[in-house]
Every structure is written in structure tokens, then in C-alpha cells.
Amino acid sequence: MRKLPVVAALVAFTPLLSACGAGLNLFDRGAPDEMVVARQAPLAVPPDFALTPPEPGAPRPQTPGASQQALEAMFGGPAPRSTVESSAISKAGTAQPGIRSTVGDPDTNTVDKGVTTQDIVAAPEGDGAEAQTIIPE
């Protein structure tokens, strides 16, 4: 009875000992050979010899500025437009160049929609179950 736990432990730990020796390799992982050394290709000189070395302390040309990095950190990069948004923008067309200056102009003609439009806009929200129509005579 005392030999059973010892035999069970030896059977359980035998696969762990297989990594210690090369004689009985149960899993044959195909380990790389440390004696095989491959030479790397030599560095190539760029064809443009007019390149100048960077100035010490100068910002890297491929990285965006600090303000651009801050905007991307706060709001993320540009989000792709959905198909509905792209369709609405394409159907809207382009605005006139001076439209913002002419909107507030007192000479701009506007259409008075009257009290009916104001009543519709100011109407309380609901599902329309209690809606009534009054036809003036």
C-alpha cells in the first residue's frame, strides 16, 4: 500500500524528465542546431548620395507635430464615414463659398412659415394616440 503513491509519482514525473536527456526524446521538437551559423547580407548603400544627416535635436520628419499627436490621443484618428453619411454628403453637394457671410445679411429673403410651423415644432412628444384635428369653419 505504501508503494502505490511512490509508483504513481514516478509515472507522473517521467515525461518531465524526458527534457533532461537526449537519449529518450519523446516529443522530438526539432530544436535548432546552435552550430549552424548563417551569414547576413551586407548593408546596401542607398542610391541617393545627396542625403544629409539629421541635425541634432531636430524633430523627425515622419512623426506628426505635438498638436496633431494631442488631437489623435484625445479624439482618435479619422473615423471612416458610413455609407449613409457618405450618401448624404454627396447628395448635399458643395456649399457656396460666401454662404456664411450672406446668411446673416438683412437683405436675405426668408420665408415666414407662420404660426402652424411653430405649433408643430412646439407640440409635446407622444405616440399620437390622443391627437385631434380641428378644421376651422
Side-chain angles (χ1 to χ4, degrees):
M1 192 68 160
R2 297 179 81 180
K3 293 182 182 181
L4 183 62
V6 174
V7 171
L10 285 174
V11 170
F13 289 116
T14 301
L16 297 176
L17 293 175
S18 68
C20 295
L24 179 63
N25 196 353
L26 296 176
F27 302 107
D28 192 21
R29 296 179 303 215
D33 187 8
E34 66 272 6
M35 296 300 168
V36 177
V37 178
R39 295 189 55 103
Q40 293 183 355
L43 296 176
V45 177
D48 186 9
F49 296 108
L51 294 175
T52 58
E55 296 291 326
R60 299 178 74 174
Q62 62 268 26
T63 56
S67 62
Q68 183 66 26
Q69 288 178 352
L71 287 173
E72 287 183 11
M74 289 191 312
F75 303 112
R81 296 187 189 274
S82 67
T83 54
V84 174
E85 187 178 5
S86 300
S87 173
I89 289 173
S90 67
K91 288 181 181 180
T94 56
Q96 297 173 1
I99 190 68
R100 291 180 187 240
S101 61
T102 59
V103 168
D105 186 19
D107 295 332
T108 302
N109 295 328
T110 58
V111 178
D112 186 14
K113 297 290 184 177
V115 182
T116 308
T117 305
Q118 293 175 359
D119 290 342
I120 292 172
V121 171
E125 291 185 25
D127 59 356
E130 295 88 24
Q132 296 178 357
T133 305
I134 300 172
I135 301 173
E137 293 181 37

